[in-house]
Amino acid sequence: MSARFTVSKAPDDIELDGAGKTPEVEIIGNEPGKEQSSKKYGDGSKAEMSPFMDQEKGLQDLALYEEEIENRPKIASLLNTLANYKSLPEHTEMPGDRKSDRPTVKGAQMGTLMGVYLPCLQNILGVILFIRLSWIVGTAGALESFFIVLISCCTTLLTAISMSAIATNGVVPGGGAYFMISRALGPEWGGAVGILFYLGTTFASAMYILGAIEILLIYIAPVISLFGDITELGASQSSAMLNNMRVYGTGILLVLSLLVFVGVKYVNKCAFLFLMCVLLTILSMYVGYFTPHELKFCDMNDDIALQFDSSSDSNCAFFENGTLTELGEMYCPNNTEICQEFFKENSVQWKNGIPGLGTGQISRNTFNLYREAGDVLPREKGTNNQVVADITTSFYILLAIFFPSVTGIMAGSNRSGDLKDAQFSIPRGTIGAILTTSIIYLTSVLFFAGTVKGEVLRDKYGESVGGDLVAAAICFPSKWVVLIGAFLSTVGAGLQSLTGAPRLLQAIAKDNIIPFLAVFGRGSKTGEPTWALLLTAGISEIGIIIASLDSVAPIITMFFLMCYMFVNLACALQTLLKTPNWRPRFQYYHWSLSFLGVIMCLALMFISSWYYALGAIALAFCIYKYIEYQGAEKEWGDGLSGLSLTAARYSLMRLEDRPPHTKNWRPQILVLCKLNEDLVPKYRRILTFASQLKAGRGLSLVSSILEGDFLTRYSESQAAERELRNMMNEEKVKGFPSVLVAKDVTEGLAACVQMSGLGGLKHNTVVLGWPYGWRQSVDDKAWKVFLDTVRAISASHNALLVPKNISNYPSNKDKFEGGTIDVWWIVHDGGMLVLLPFLLRQHKVWKNCQLRIFTVAQLEDNSEKMIKDLKTFLYHLRIEAEVEVVEMPSGTIAAYTFERTMMMEQRSQLLRQMKLSKKESRMVAQTLVDESHVSIAPKKSNSDKKVTFSSEEPSSSPFDSPGILDDDGEEDLIYEAPSEDSVGDNKESAQAEPQQAKDMTDVKLNFQNHPSVSNVERMNNAVRLNEVIVDRSHQANLVILNLPGPPKKKYREQYYMEYLEVLTEGLERVLMVRGGGREVITIYS
């Protein structure tokens, strides 16, 4: 029989090989007749007890994961949490921690029929079907009307397929379409499209209200007009009708807004009533298509409907009992011969406006009859009481007017939080509703064209049939079924829009991607979006003030088409990028269908109204840039991030194929930035200089080194990287920060130079700070790290920029109003010295500086020809600059130069001797006293050069000036790194090591009375060149000159640093440049 075991902790003195006392293992199996023994679980510590917290459930089997279970949930409890997921938006926060404070969340109960299918039907079938579809059929003809409906329904069907794929790719909380789009396309585009979707829904409420007022005033109760009689000829398009619509529309808007403000539960109670009205109205229309009707209208010449009262037969005749009727007098009041000719050519008669199916109306209504405003027939102006076109019509205009009638497909997805199974119901309910409504619209087009006279169809307001609505006249059993049903359904649709739009705005506001909308995220105690409702009512009032349904409809078309386009785009991107999280349950989608939907939406936007389309796109772009400017720090795993990654990978692969052409070369900068003790960049100006040099273009990498072990300093490196990023943002450096933890700073810097960047997107220029305070440091790490890094940069064929006196460089807020940038072009470096000032002058700080280029000539050079050639070269480079050739004097070497060289060498030897052992260091003082008595013959030089010295004595030595210190007065090293360099770094010390090993007490300081000839020559060159530069450029805003190459022999390293100090003395701002070994500028286009 199986038994369960507990394992006690092993004694502390147990050996690893198993020797010693065996750990206690206690059997706690349930044997008959025996009680379970007491359970022991180790020493009682939390770490020991954690695997056995619930031993009755067998958790002791997870002892291997003891440390994990302390901090991570067990999968059994995690699954229970995931399975009982409640559909709350991401931004939903519980008011309190106590159960009594938490709102009660009602379980989702709605299925496909009540939750998706019927709401979509109610939103899709609306005002356009009842009051505009017959007019569209009569104007565009059966053929083009069928195509208008078909292309609109196909667009929404493709969008529904894409939406179904997105909706079934995981749980969709409250927020509906906005949630799906924003999480698929990111906060920028998600916010832009969300605002457009909100505006479309808000203006849709205005359209529904205007449609309801039109039905009420023209067809139900014209007597309630407040601004005159609207039953007179042409009164339906008069200003009186527009004013009536504004007043009554505002009143209905207030009533509906108050109903929404009171509570959504009352709106939901009315929704079912409105839905039943829609279904009953459509059913009565379909019955009416197959029943006979008698709708008289006065027809003139079989193609013109007359706008007249049909109460008397004499109203449709020119003569009655040989005398002119009122109609006859209207067209020919004098009854002259001309009138007689008119009466012979024209005839009027009563006709049935609804002949019914099988009367050949479909053939007469097949083709379009587009008219301009005021035309009774194409290119024929209407007169007297003829029914004329109130607006100019075309295929595009009618498409824009009709398209809002197929919107509303997202009503089901907006209720995703209330569905039992949203992933099951949304695709089936939405696509089913679209197919149903598409059949209704397409068959209605054919039935209208096959049963009603074209003249009556083109009569938008029913003025030729006594003010009747065509859809109402055709229904069975009474026109009041359609009139009342259409009125209630349009009011209900407007109520639904006023209910949904504030919640959509509240969801956008709570996501906090548009800061100024934050106030609309607030709500009442019950969660109702009160402030959002006020804004929605205000925007809806704008649509009502327009007071024309035909003018508001194209605006709604643009907003909804933009929304649908981005839904299709989101699905297409997710499908093509194949992100790991893209696993929709709805399988009947394809990226090609989504792209077809994108193209159709975009095409319909410009076909309907190109200026409205441009306005909608411009509005979306402005919102996008605003959200981007505000820096919406939202990470929703959107598809555009995946697209950016794919595009970046493709571009990197392309860049790696071939190096950039010289014309495309620009400095891709790696800034090696030093951190202080607080892990903050020590020299802010080095980042400022990088931003001014880049002017926001190209690649910028900023790297710093932390000395130590990665495991222990990882958190510090992350904090340092955040500080680095913050300072980069403050200095407007567009790039990427990184902090490397290394045990040796020199190796860390070399690693940064080698490994920074990715693929072809790597740096080609390194900015390295000058090691201030190296003279005051006894430890040679102050300059060795700098030189080793210079060598690493040169070995990697990168260009090197060393800004000196960086604290004197201007900030981004400064601006030079004049002055010069002086370039001292001594050796060819691929054109870096010419290109850098040009790039700097692109920034506002350096924009007003003039460029001067100096070059150095020797005795054998032709200065005049050099100036001419340099001017020609700059002309071909399209760079404006003053040019000057400086001839270096070849005079004797001053004693000042000799003394400075000798002091440099003696200081170098002294510092090396100071690194000896304690026993050796005791001899240093005596040696310094006996320095004058030491007689060492100078080393013979292989050079045949002779050096002469001037008798001039300098008043002061440059060595007497103190070095540059930090603000706190302490010496500043380039990086605070331990140095393991030994004494034997130079040739002499290396030769002396064997002797020192034999007798460590036999130490002599070999100070030379005469310096090396090569050192004197280099020092003399540095002094002479510095004198020339200071003489001409001491007032320059910036001096740029060539950085000499580092010495190959290590014993010359300290001499090299001294030469650079001498070369740049007396200059406020210096930028030393060393090329990377390739041409960076060209004269060719």
Side-chain angles (χ1 to χ4, degrees):
M1 184 176 179
S2 61
R4 294 185 292 118
F5 297 87
T6 58
V7 181
S8 299
K9 182 178 179 182
D12 294 335
D13 56 88
I14 191 171
E15 297 181 5
L16 294 178
D17 60 356
K21 186 177 179 181
T22 305
E24 178 185 350
V25 179
E26 182 179 2
I27 301 177
I28 56 175
N30 298 327
E31 296 184 9
K34 292 186 179 181
E35 296 183 357
Q36 292 184 4
S37 59
S38 60
K39 307 173 184 68
K40 298 181 180 179
Y41 302 106
D43 60 2
S45 65
K46 180 181 178 181
E48 185 68 22
M49 291 288 291
S50 57
F52 314 117
M53 290 170 59
D54 194 3
Q55 75 283 354
E56 296 298 334
K57 298 181 181 179
L59 292 187
Q60 64 272 24
D61 296 334
L62 300 179
L64 181 61
Y65 298 95
E66 175 181 357
E67 301 296 335
E68 299 294 324
I69 294 178
E70 282 189 12
N71 303 312
R72 301 182 183 183
K74 196 159 52 68
I75 194 64
S77 58
L78 178 64
L79 289 176
N80 181 58
T81 304
L82 294 177
N84 291 284
Y85 172 81
K86 292 181 179 180
S87 298
L88 293 175
E90 288 183 342
H91 49 256
T92 300
E93 295 180 0
M94 294 300 182
D97 295 328
R98 295 175 301 166
K99 292 183 179 180
S100 59
D101 293 334
R102 298 181 183 178
T104 302
V105 181
K106 186 178 180 179
Q109 296 296 328
M110 289 191 291
T112 303
L113 182 64
M114 295 301 298
V116 181
Y117 181 75
L118 292 180
C120 285
L121 278 184
Q122 181 183 2
N123 281 266
I124 296 174
L125 298 174
V127 63
I128 301 295
L129 172 64
F130 302 121
I131 67 177
R132 287 292 183 271
L133 185 59
S134 59
W135 170 72
I136 291 174
V137 173
T139 304
L143 189 62
E144 293 187 18
S145 299
F146 191 88
F147 184 68
I148 288 175
V149 175
L150 181 64
I151 193 174
S152 301
C153 293
C154 287
T155 302
T156 55
L157 180 61
L158 292 174
T159 304
I161 292 174
S162 299
M163 184 188 68
S164 299
I166 298 175
T168 58
N169 186 51
V171 178
V172 179
Y178 161 70
F179 181 89
M180 293 186 293
I181 296 173
S182 61
R183 270 55 178 180
L185 296 179
E188 292 85 3
W189 282 120
V193 178
I195 292 296
L196 294 181
F197 188 43
Y198 163 75
L199 292 175
T201 306
T202 303
F203 274 100
S205 66
M207 182 189 72
Y208 292 132
I209 293 174
L210 290 175
I213 298 301
E214 184 176 315
I215 294 173
L216 177 66
L217 288 178
I218 296 179
Y219 306 113
I220 296 179
V223 295
I224 66 173
S225 172
L226 300 176
F227 299 93
D229 187 5
I230 60 173
T231 61
E232 297 178 355
L233 300 182
S236 56
Q237 299 95 36
S238 64
S239 59
M241 180 63 186
L242 298 180
N243 290 330
N244 274 298
M245 296 189 74
R246 293 185 180 109
V247 173
Y248 280 104
T250 302
I252 291 182
L253 176 63
L254 289 176
V255 172
L256 297 182
S257 299
L258 287 175
L259 183 58
V260 175
F261 178 77
V262 170
V264 180
K265 60 180 180 179
Y266 300 102
V267 176
N268 293 333
K269 289 180 180 179
C270 298
F272 184 76
L273 172 63
F274 295 142
L275 177 59
M276 291 299 103
C277 291
V278 173
L279 297 179
L280 181 61
T281 302
I282 294 174
L283 180 62
S284 66
M285 289 176 59
Y286 269 90
V287 175
Y289 292 139
F290 298 95
T291 57
H293 298 276
E294 188 66 29
L295 185 66
K296 291 182 11 177
F297 78 102
C298 187
D299 182 78
M300 183 176 183
N301 300 333
D302 290 333
D303 54 8
I304 298 176
L306 297 183
Q307 189 181 38
F308 213 76
D309 184 10
S310 60
S311 60
S312 175
D313 291 344
S314 63
N315 291 334
C316 190
F318 291 133
F319 294 94
E320 183 178 11
N321 298 326
T323 61
L324 280 174
T325 63
E326 185 179 349
L327 180 63
E329 291 181 355
M330 183 181 296
Y331 282 91
C332 200
N334 298 324
N335 195 14
T336 59
E337 294 182 359
I338 298 177
C339 291
Q340 295 296 327
E341 189 68 26
F342 173 80
F343 292 139
K344 289 180 181 180
E345 294 178 356
N346 299 277
S347 62
V348 292
Q349 58 180 326
W350 290 110
K351 288 188 178 181
N352 185 9
I354 308 177
L357 295 172
T359 58
Q361 297 304 313
I362 188 70
S363 60
R364 296 186 67 231
N365 295 327
T366 299
F367 301 103
N368 66 69
L369 196 71
Y370 296 125
R371 299 170 293 174
E372 293 185 0
D375 286 357
V376 64
L377 292 173
R379 294 175 299 279
E380 181 180 336
K381 292 295 181 180
T383 59
N384 300 318
N385 65 337
Q386 296 173 350
V387 178
V388 297
D390 63 324
I391 62 172
T392 299
T393 54
S394 66
F395 175 83
Y396 311 124
I397 294 175
L398 296 183
L399 177 62
I401 293 175
F402 174 78
F403 189 81
S405 65
V406 297
T407 59
I409 63 174
M410 295 184 177
S413 63
N414 290 338
R415 302 185 179 200
S416 57
D418 300 323
L419 301 175
K420 287 182 181 179
D421 188 352
Q423 299 186 20
F424 177 87
S425 299
I426 289 178
R428 290 164 176 78
T430 304
I431 295 176
I434 291 175
L435 293 177
T436 303
T437 54
S438 299
I439 294 173
I440 292 174
Y441 280 125
L442 292 172
T443 54
S444 296
V445 168
L446 298 178
F447 283 132
F448 277 132
T451 57
V452 186
K453 282 277 190 180
E455 298 92 318
V456 178
L457 289 174
R458 289 187 290 274
D459 185 4
K460 182 188 290 186
Y461 301 104
E463 294 167 328
S464 65
V465 291
D468 284 340
L469 181 65
V470 173
I474 208 172
C475 80
F476 177 87
S478 171
K479 68 178 183 179
W480 293 103
V481 176
V482 169
L483 291 178
I484 296 176
F487 176 77
L488 292 178
S489 67
T490 51
V491 171
L495 185 61
Q496 291 292 334
S497 296
L498 284 176
T499 304
R503 281 159 175 75
L504 177 59
L505 180 61
Q506 187 182 43
I508 298 173
K510 284 189 174 181
D511 275 340
N512 199 28
I513 57 177
I514 303 179
F516 69 85
L517 293 181
V519 64
F520 300 108
R522 303 174 186 172
S524 62
K525 294 181 179 179
T526 58
E528 295 297 321
T530 308
W531 292 100
L533 176 61
L534 292 176
L535 179 63
T536 301
I539 297 175
S540 182
E541 179 65 20
I542 296 175
I544 291 175
I545 291 175
I546 296 175
S548 173
L549 186 146
D550 299 330
S551 299
V552 174
I555 301 175
I556 302 171
T557 297
M558 293 304 122
F559 290 148
F560 277 110
L561 280 173
M562 282 284 290
C563 179
Y564 295 166
M565 181 180 70
F566 277 97
V567 170
N568 286 294
L569 181 62
C571 180
L573 288 179
Q574 298 277 29
T575 305
L576 288 176
L577 295 176
K578 298 180 180 179
T579 53
N581 192 53
W582 181 246
R583 302 183 301 274
R585 291 186 179 277
F586 182 77
Q587 298 296 323
Y588 304 101
Y589 71 95
H590 194 267
W591 65 266
S592 58
L593 294 177
S594 299
F595 265 120
L596 180 61
V598 172
I599 295 171
M600 290 182 67
C601 289
L602 195 60
L604 287 179
M605 288 175 60
F606 284 94
I607 286 174
S608 302
S609 176
W610 63 269
Y611 45 88
Y612 277 153
L614 291 178
I617 293 174
L619 178 60
F621 183 75
C622 291
I623 298 173
Y624 172 87
K625 296 304 293 183
Y626 174 78
I627 297 175
E628 185 182 50
Y629 173 77
Q630 289 294 328
E633 297 180 358
K634 301 288 184 181
E635 179 52 52
W636 290 330
D638 53 273
L640 288 183
S641 299
L643 179 63
S644 300
L645 181 62
T646 302
R649 179 181 59 82
Y650 175 78
S651 300
L652 285 173
M653 298 300 293
R654 289 288 304 275
L655 285 173
E656 201 170 18
D657 289 342
R658 53 189 180 276
H661 191 273
T662 303
K663 292 186 292 185
N664 300 324
W665 193 95
R666 67 169 62 247
Q668 314 291 356
I669 293 180
L670 168 63
V671 182
L672 299 178
C673 186
K674 180 183 178 181
L675 302 177
N676 60 17
E677 295 179 354
D678 297 328
L679 304 180
V680 177
K682 188 168 187 177
Y683 298 107
R684 175 187 289 266
R685 287 289 189 271
I686 199 168
L687 296 177
T688 308
F689 171 72
S691 69
Q692 294 169 2
L693 183 62
K694 299 296 295 181
R697 302 178 182 88
L699 175 69
S700 295
L701 304 173
V702 181
S703 296
S704 296
I705 306 299
L706 279 182
E707 182 187 1
D709 183 67
F710 176 74
L711 297 179
T712 58
R713 303 205 67 179
Y714 172 74
S715 58
E716 295 180 42
S717 69
Q718 296 300 301
E721 188 169 321
R722 286 192 296 271
E723 294 292 340
L724 205 56
R725 186 182 299 277
N726 292 338
M727 189 168 288
M728 289 174 64
N729 293 334
E730 293 173 4
E731 297 299 329
K732 299 180 180 179
V733 178
K734 305 293 185 181
F736 308 97
S738 64
V739 176
L740 179 66
V741 180
K743 294 184 178 180
D744 182 76
V745 176
T746 302
E747 294 298 327
L749 289 171
C752 286
V753 172
Q754 295 178 67
M755 303 302 296
S756 296
L758 180 64
L761 197 62
K762 293 181 69 69
H763 59 276
N764 53 32
T765 305
V766 181
V767 179
L768 180 64
W770 177 258
Y772 304 114
W774 68 272
R775 281 175 170 173
Q776 287 73 38
S777 175
V778 176
D779 194 348
D780 56 4
K781 70 178 180 181
W783 45 269
K784 271 190 171 298
V785 173
F786 173 80
L787 282 177
D788 289 341
T789 307
V790 170
R791 290 192 178 98
I793 295 170
S794 299
S796 62
H797 299 288
N798 286 309
L800 173 62
L801 309 180
V802 181
K804 196 167 181 287
N805 302 333
I806 191 64
S807 58
N808 294 332
Y809 277 60
S811 68
N812 285 325
K813 297 180 180 179
D814 299 329
K815 184 178 181 181
F816 290 114
E817 298 298 337
T820 62
I821 298 177
D822 289 358
V823 175
W824 287 84
W825 200 2
I826 301 173
V827 296
H828 180 59
D829 57 356
M832 279 287 293
L833 267 72
V834 179
L835 182 61
L836 287 175
F838 170 79
L839 296 176
L840 278 175
R841 291 174 63 197
Q842 306 303 306
H843 197 273
K844 64 178 182 179
V845 173
W846 305 90
K847 186 176 182 179
N848 297 326
C849 297
Q850 300 298 317
L851 176 60
R852 297 193 302 179
I853 298 181
F854 299 89
T855 186
V856 178
Q858 297 179 346
L859 292 177
E860 62 271 17
D861 295 327
N862 187 337
S863 299
E864 297 296 329
K865 189 175 185 305
M866 287 178 64
I867 293 176
K868 182 179 179 181
D869 292 343
L870 185 54
K871 287 182 177 180
T872 303
F873 179 63
L874 294 177
Y875 175 79
H876 289 308
L877 289 177
R878 292 86 63 199
I879 294 178
E880 296 182 1
E882 297 181 12
V883 176
E884 183 177 345
V885 175
V886 179
E887 295 183 355
M888 290 289 293
S890 59
T892 58
I893 300 176
Y896 155 70
T897 302
F898 170 77
E899 288 184 5
R900 182 157 190 170
T901 307
M902 185 171 63
M903 291 178 64
M904 174 185 71
E905 293 181 352
Q906 291 178 353
R907 179 179 181 277
S908 176
Q909 293 182 22
L910 177 61
L911 290 175
R912 286 197 296 269
Q913 294 296 339
M914 289 178 68
K915 298 175 66 175
L916 300 179
S917 63
K918 292 181 179 179
K919 184 177 181 180
E920 295 167 333
S921 63
R922 287 194 295 266
M923 302 175 59
V924 172
Q926 182 63 34
T927 305
L928 291 175
V929 174
D930 298 338
E931 176 183 350
S932 58
H933 303 291
V934 178
S935 178
I936 303 293
K939 183 178 178 180
K940 294 183 179 180
S941 173
N942 295 330
S943 174
D944 295 334
K945 297 180 181 179
K946 296 181 179 180
V947 181
T948 58
F949 302 98
S950 172
S951 59
E952 296 179 17
E953 290 291 332
S955 58
S956 63
S957 172
F959 265 109
D960 297 335
S961 60
I964 301 177
L965 300 179
D966 293 343
D967 296 336
D968 55 5
E970 296 180 359
E971 66 181 24
D972 180 20
L973 312 181
I974 181 171
Y975 286 95
E976 297 177 358
S979 176
E980 302 295 339
D981 298 326
S982 61
V983 179
D985 282 341
N986 55 53
K987 186 175 179 180
E988 290 82 4
S989 62
Q991 294 175 350
E993 284 182 0
Q995 180 64 26
Q996 291 175 357
K998 294 180 180 179
D999 187 6
M1000 296 296 296
T1001 61
D1002 188 13
V1003 179
K1004 294 182 179 179
L1005 295 178
N1006 296 331
F1007 287 143
Q1008 297 180 357
N1009 290 330
H1010 300 285
S1012 167
V1013 174
S1014 61
N1015 287 343
V1016 171
E1017 290 178 345
R1018 290 185 175 87
M1019 181 64 73
N1020 180 66
N1021 182 254
V1023 170
R1024 296 294 187 189
L1025 192 56
N1026 175 258
E1027 291 174 353
V1028 173
I1029 295 175
V1030 171
D1031 179 60
R1032 287 170 170 78
S1033 301
H1034 65 280
Q1035 292 184 344
N1037 295 330
L1038 179 65
V1039 176
I1040 305 177
L1041 51 82
N1042 292 106
L1043 174 68
K1048 296 181 180 179
K1049 298 180 180 179
K1050 292 208 170 188
Y1051 68 89
R1052 293 186 178 275
E1053 287 177 343
Q1054 197 168 7
Y1055 303 155
Y1056 173 77
M1057 298 296 296
E1058 193 68 42
Y1059 299 147
L1060 296 183
E1061 289 281 9
V1062 173
L1063 181 62
T1064 57
E1065 278 179 349
L1067 300 176
E1068 185 179 7
R1069 303 180 195 90
V1070 185
L1071 178 63
M1072 293 179 282
V1073 180
R1074 182 169 175 81
R1078 62 161 295 168
E1079 296 293 329
V1080 300
I1081 196 167
T1082 178
I1083 64 174
Y1084 300 104
S1085 62

